[in-house]
Amino acid sequence: MKTVEIERKFLVRSDAWRSSATSMHMLRQGYLARGAASSLRIRLIDDRTARLAVKFGKRGLTREEFEYDIPLAEAKELLLHVRGTVLEKTRYEVVDQGNVWEIDVFGGAYQGLTIAEIEMRSEKDRPSLPSWLGREVTGDKRYSNRALAFQRPAISPPYGLSNLQPGSSRHPG
């Protein structure tokens, strides 16, 4: 199904959101292909269902996404062929002041990284920002799932990356 994705991303500075979480899913995902403005992602959800997504371009906060359910057995096989790192994360859904936030708590190579995303109807939307949010990283490619899958991780637990480039010792931004 084709959708238009309009989202903002933030680092998360505390666990205050956890008491408001309404759902939780374990995700494993990787990228089978990537271009300058496109990607082909495979995602397993709770090791029970799977989706294949094709994403194109980015104009401002907006990009096109085509996402399809695929057989779990095929998804597991495809996951063996990803390029880069398979990302492991637990995704929580949190409703705050009428806004739905997706909180990704990373495991594996990015243990300790926590990112909040909000999908919006328009780039002009101005959602209220919960106090547990940290710095906005919308547009900072270092925090895109695609970039995380292809770069060398360097983590500073519990809530942020200490650096994303070899040899750097400062927090990005």
Side-chain angles (χ1 to χ4, degrees):
M1 169 182 10
K2 178 184 177 183
T3 61
V4 175
E5 181 178 76
I6 304 170
E7 69 180 15
R8 291 175 66 190
K9 286 185 173 194
F10 298 81
L11 294 177
V12 175
R13 74 168 107 214
S14 78
D15 282 340
W17 58 270
R18 286 189 182 268
S19 62
S20 301
T22 59
S23 67
M24 176 185 89
H25 296 284
M26 304 296 289
L27 306 178
R28 286 190 302 144
Q29 67 183 47
Y31 293 83
L32 297 165
R34 67 177 177 160
S38 62
S39 62
L40 178 62
R41 180 194 73 212
I42 186 76
R43 175 182 282 166
L44 277 68
I45 304 154
D46 296 327
D47 213 28
R48 293 189 338 213
T49 61
R51 292 193 180 126
L52 185 68
V54 183
K55 296 187 177 194
F56 292 102
K58 186 141 188 167
R59 291 176 306 281
L61 305 175
T62 304
R63 71 176 148 197
E64 292 180 301
E65 180 177 32
F66 297 80
E67 192 168 37
Y68 305 96
D69 291 331
I70 64 169
L72 182 61
E74 291 178 18
K76 286 181 177 181
E77 188 173 340
L78 285 170
L79 206 58
L80 298 173
H81 299 284
V82 300
R83 298 172 59 200
T85 301
V86 173
L87 298 177
E88 301 172 13
K89 57 188 179 179
T90 304
R91 174 166 287 171
Y92 299 86
E93 189 171 283
V94 174
V95 178
D96 182 85
Q97 297 186 33
N99 297 308
V100 178
W101 292 86
E102 291 180 336
I103 315 297
D104 288 341
V105 178
F106 286 79
Y110 289 100
Q111 183 76 38
L113 176 63
T114 304
I115 296 177
E117 296 180 359
I118 186 166
E119 299 233 357
M120 303 177 305
R121 292 187 183 134
S122 162
E123 288 194 25
K124 295 178 182 178
D125 288 355
R126 296 290 173 251
S128 60
L129 303 180
S131 62
W132 40 262
L133 289 179
R135 182 170 58 89
E136 183 165 9
V137 293
T138 303
D140 186 336
K141 293 183 186 206
R142 297 173 296 175
Y143 292 98
S144 74
N145 283 304
R146 183 176 119 153
L148 292 172
F150 286 96
Q151 66 196 2
R152 189 172 148 216
I155 300 300
S156 175
Y159 299 110
L161 299 180
S162 62
N163 61 48
L164 296 172
Q165 301 298 323
S168 171
S169 62
R170 62 184 263 301
H171 191 280

